[in-house]
Amino acid sequence: MQKLYFLGGGNMCQAIVSGLIKTPRFDITVIESHADKRQYLQDAYGVAVAESLPSLHAEDVLLLAVKPQDMAQALSDARSNGALILSIAAGLDTQTLAAMAGNERVIRIMPNTPAQVGLGVAGLYAPAHIAQSDKDIATQIMQSVGAVHWLDVETQMHAITGVSGSGPAYVFYLLEALAQAAQQQGFDVETARELSLATFKGAVTLAEQSGLPFAQLQQNVTSKGGTTFAAISALEAAQVAQGIEQGVAACVARSEEMQQQLSQA
C-alpha cells in the first residue's frame, strides 16, 4: 500500500482523509505539530499521526496542507527524496514549491470546502515533465472527495480559485441574503434558513437534471410582468450579476498578487 503523508492536519486535510478512508488505497500518516489535534485525527479517522515528517522515499506521496506563508518553514527540514508532492496551498506556484522542497515532482491542487461532504471541486495543474502515473495518483486522491478538473496552464489556477475555490463563499453569501430577506417578510430564523436551503438545493438539482442553460431555466419561471419578473428586474437594476463578476475578478487578482508576494519572499 502506497504511503501518503499529509503535512498539516487542518480542515481540508481532514476532508480529503475522510474521503480516502472509505476505500483504503493509501497508508495515511498526518504530520501535525499540535498534540491535541494529533490525538483527534487518530481518534476520528483512524490514521497514523506524527509530530514531524520522516525521510521519504521516491514511491511515497506528500500532500502539503499548511498555510502558504508557513510553507518555507514547514519544508525547511523535509527530505522528500524524489517523492511525489501535491500542494493545496494557494499562491505558491510549482516553481516556488519545487525550490522550497528541493524536488521538481510537484502538482498543484485548488480544492474547495464542499470536499468536506464529498461534493468538492478541485482544479489541478502539473508541469509538462510530470508523469501521467503521478497525475493519476492526484486524480484518485481528489476524486475521493468530489470532481476533478485538470488545467492546461498554471495561470488558470488563479481563475479556478476565483470561480470554484472561493465559490462556496459566494453561495453562502447569497444564502444569507435570501434568508435575511425571508426574515424581513415575517419568517422566523429557522424557517428562513430552511426555505433558503431548500430553494437553492432544488434549483441546483433541477439545473443538473435538465441540462438546460441557466439563462433558459430562469426564463422558464420569469413570465413578463409577473412576480418573478419584478424580482429579476430589481436584481438587474442593482447590478447583482456585475457584482458577482467583480467579486470573481477581485479574487483572481488577489490570487495573482499573493503568488507574486510569496515567490519573492
Side-chain angles (χ1 to χ4, degrees):
M1 188 176 289
Q2 190 168 25
K3 290 185 179 295
L4 170 58
Y5 295 89
F6 285 80
L7 187 57
N11 291 335
M12 192 56 65
C13 161
Q14 293 177 39
I16 298 171
V17 167
S18 68
L20 288 172
I21 61 176
K22 293 174 183 175
T23 53
R25 161 70 174 78
F26 296 93
D27 180 3
I28 299 172
T29 300
V30 180
I31 311 303
E32 171 57 50
S33 59
H34 296 91
D36 55 346
K37 187 173 284 188
R38 288 199 300 274
Q39 188 62 55
Y40 171 77
L41 291 162
Q42 192 173 41
D43 294 343
Y45 303 106
V47 296
V49 294
E51 186 175 0
S52 59
L53 190 67
S55 181
L56 304 183
H57 300 90
E59 61 270 21
D60 297 336
V61 181
L62 173 62
L63 194 151
L64 305 177
V66 298
K67 294 178 180 178
Q69 60 270 27
D70 297 334
M71 189 66 74
Q73 178 61 37
L75 290 175
S76 60
D77 295 325
R79 299 179 300 281
S80 63
N81 299 319
L84 172 60
I85 297 177
L86 311 178
S87 172
I88 62 172
L92 288 171
D93 60 28
T94 52
Q95 184 176 359
T96 300
L97 288 163
M100 288 179 175
N103 181 354
E104 295 187 349
R105 196 178 166 199
V106 177
I107 293 175
R108 284 184 66 190
I109 302 171
M110 174 49 64
N112 65 7
T113 55
Q116 295 173 19
V117 293
L119 294 172
V121 178
L124 293 85
Y125 169 78
H129 66 268
I130 298 297
Q132 183 61 47
S133 57
D134 285 345
K135 295 175 67 174
D136 291 343
I137 291 171
T139 295
Q140 184 179 42
I141 290 171
M142 296 313 300
Q143 278 184 340
S144 71
V145 291
V148 167
H149 294 273
W150 280 96
L151 308 177
D152 295 327
V153 294
E154 189 163 9
T155 53
Q156 289 181 311
M157 292 295 288
H158 302 301
I160 204 160
T161 298
V163 176
S164 62
S166 298
Y170 317 152
V171 176
F172 300 145
Y173 182 91
L174 294 173
L175 277 167
E176 174 64 15
L178 185 57
Q180 290 288 340
Q183 291 177 58
Q184 290 177 4
Q185 297 303 319
F187 293 104
D188 60 61
V189 172
E190 188 57 35
T191 302
R193 175 182 172 84
E194 291 175 357
L195 289 172
S196 300
L197 283 170
T199 300
F200 266 71
K201 184 176 181 179
V204 169
T205 302
L206 175 60
E208 286 180 333
Q209 295 183 1
S210 71
L212 294 173
F214 300 147
Q216 181 62 54
L217 288 165
Q218 178 194 308
Q219 292 169 13
N220 289 349
V221 294
T222 309
S223 302
K224 190 170 184 179
T227 57
T228 308
F229 181 84
I232 295 298
S233 297
L235 293 174
E236 289 178 342
Q239 298 187 317
V240 173
Q242 291 91 329
I244 293 173
E245 290 177 3
Q246 291 169 8
V248 171
C251 182
V252 170
R254 178 54 182 152
S255 176
E256 293 170 342
E257 182 182 42
M258 284 177 61
Q259 178 173 306
Q260 184 176 15
Q261 291 171 342
L262 291 165
S263 65
Q264 294 173 351

